[in-house]
Amino acid sequence: NARTIRELITAEMWEQINRTHLWLGSKAAQQFYGRNTYEFFQRVKKSLQLFQGITDSVMHRGEGWEFIQLGKYLERADKTSRILDDKFFLRFGETKGPADTVPQWTAILRSCNARQTYLRLYATAVDPKRAAELLALNGAFPRSILFCVLHLDQSLRRISGVPGGQFTNTAEKLSGRLLSGLSFSTIEDLWSKGLHQAMDEIQVQLNDIGAEVLQTYIHPKAPPVMESAVEMMAVPQ
């Protein structure tokens, strides 16, 4: 994908993503994976974080930048919702459950790099409802669904130039609707609905937004061919 837009990204971005691609396909990477799977994925994660840091530092804030942000936050919101929707954890999270729910939800927080943020905000043992609140509805935490949808919506509107509260295409309408729903929700709302049901609905909406972005900007449908007035008049009634 990077090769197809080579003229739109910087040399530094290209070098980092190409370096990661070449390493992943190497024999050394395969051997590293066999020796220590955890460290292998840590290296992959750091490589991708480095790419994001380079992008933030050197890329012009134009339309290409906005599409990168759009894709990043759409993907991140979807993955956070799927982590919260994991039925193994959910089985304990929506009921009072046994004492081992704490390590399970701690693992969820760590998978989203949210463990330290949780401790700073709540200063208490991990509680399923508070953990879900941080990951779903905290507007200041970069991995939360609300934060991601907010920035997704902003990128869509900067691409088209339409102000907030208005829309020019279906993708903007859907993102605005999802943002509004999350902004005016509480964790009690999600919990009473059922975390699985709430996350499933969010995933469907995110999928719809992605499909509409594709149709609007990547593969737009050709307008229907209209017959000319002369041709229409020539058709026998």
Side-chain angles (χ1 to χ4, degrees), residues 7-64:
E7 71 282 359
L8 301 178
I9 61 177
T10 69
E12 295 86 355
M13 292 167 64
W14 168 256
E15 289 170 3
Q16 175 56 25
I17 198 168
N18 195 42
R19 185 182 299 114
T20 303
H21 170 73
L22 292 174
W23 180 77
L24 284 170
S26 69
K27 185 176 181 180
Q30 295 176 15
Q31 294 172 342
F32 188 29
Y33 178 84
R35 290 195 307 270
N36 194 323
T37 305
Y38 174 79
E39 289 298 331
F40 173 85
F41 284 113
Q42 285 294 104
R43 176 165 176 175
V44 172
K45 183 174 73 173
K46 289 176 182 178
S47 295
L48 300 177
Q49 289 173 336
L50 180 56
F51 176 78
Q52 290 293 339
I54 291 172
T55 303
D56 291 348
S57 300
V58 303
M59 191 172 186
H60 175 257
R61 273 24 177 198
E63 188 176 89

Side-chain angles (χ1 to χ4, degrees), residues 30-177:
Q30 295 176 15
Q31 294 172 342
F32 188 29
Y33 178 84
R35 290 195 307 270
N36 194 323
T37 305
Y38 174 79
E39 289 298 331
F40 173 85
F41 284 113
Q42 285 294 104
R43 176 165 176 175
V44 172
K45 183 174 73 173
K46 289 176 182 178
S47 295
L48 300 177
Q49 289 173 336
L50 180 56
F51 176 78
Q52 290 293 339
I54 291 172
T55 303
D56 291 348
S57 300
V58 303
M59 191 172 186
H60 175 257
R61 273 24 177 198
E63 188 176 89
W65 158 266
E66 296 298 347
F67 273 106
I68 287 180
Q69 301 310 301
L70 188 163
K72 176 176 72 176
Y73 287 115
L74 182 64
E75 179 78 5
R76 188 177 289 179
D78 179 75
K79 291 300 175 282
T80 299
S81 72
R82 293 181 187 279
I83 290 172
L84 285 173
D85 192 26
D86 189 301
K87 294 176 178 57
F88 176 74
F89 299 119
L90 187 66
R91 202 165 55 239
F92 302 109
E94 291 191 327
T95 63
K96 292 185 177 180
D100 63 359
T101 59
V102 172
Q104 304 298 346
W105 279 90
T106 300
I108 290 177
L109 291 171
R110 285 176 174 164
S111 70
C112 296
N113 302 111
R115 169 65 172 158
Q116 290 183 324
T117 300
Y118 178 92
L119 293 176
R120 284 196 296 269
L121 291 177
Y122 297 104
T124 186
V126 174
D127 173 77
K129 188 177 288 188
R130 288 178 172 175
E133 180 180 43
L134 172 62
L135 294 177
L137 299 176
N138 189 297
F141 180 60
R143 296 278 170 177
S144 81
I145 298 172
L146 175 57
F147 183 98
C148 294
V149 173
L150 171 62
H151 286 268
L152 159 67
D153 186 72
Q154 289 175 348
S155 288
L156 277 171
R157 296 177 193 287
R158 281 193 289 264
I159 290 170
S160 68
V162 68
Q166 302 178 35
F167 63 89
T168 58
N169 57 59
T170 305
E172 293 168 354
K173 180 178 73 172
L174 295 178
S175 69
R177 182 180 296 166

Side-chain angles (χ1 to χ4, degrees), residues 177-188:
R177 182 180 296 166
L178 177 56
L179 177 60
S180 177
L182 290 169
S183 299
F184 290 94
S185 292
T186 65
I187 189 58
E188 285 74 20

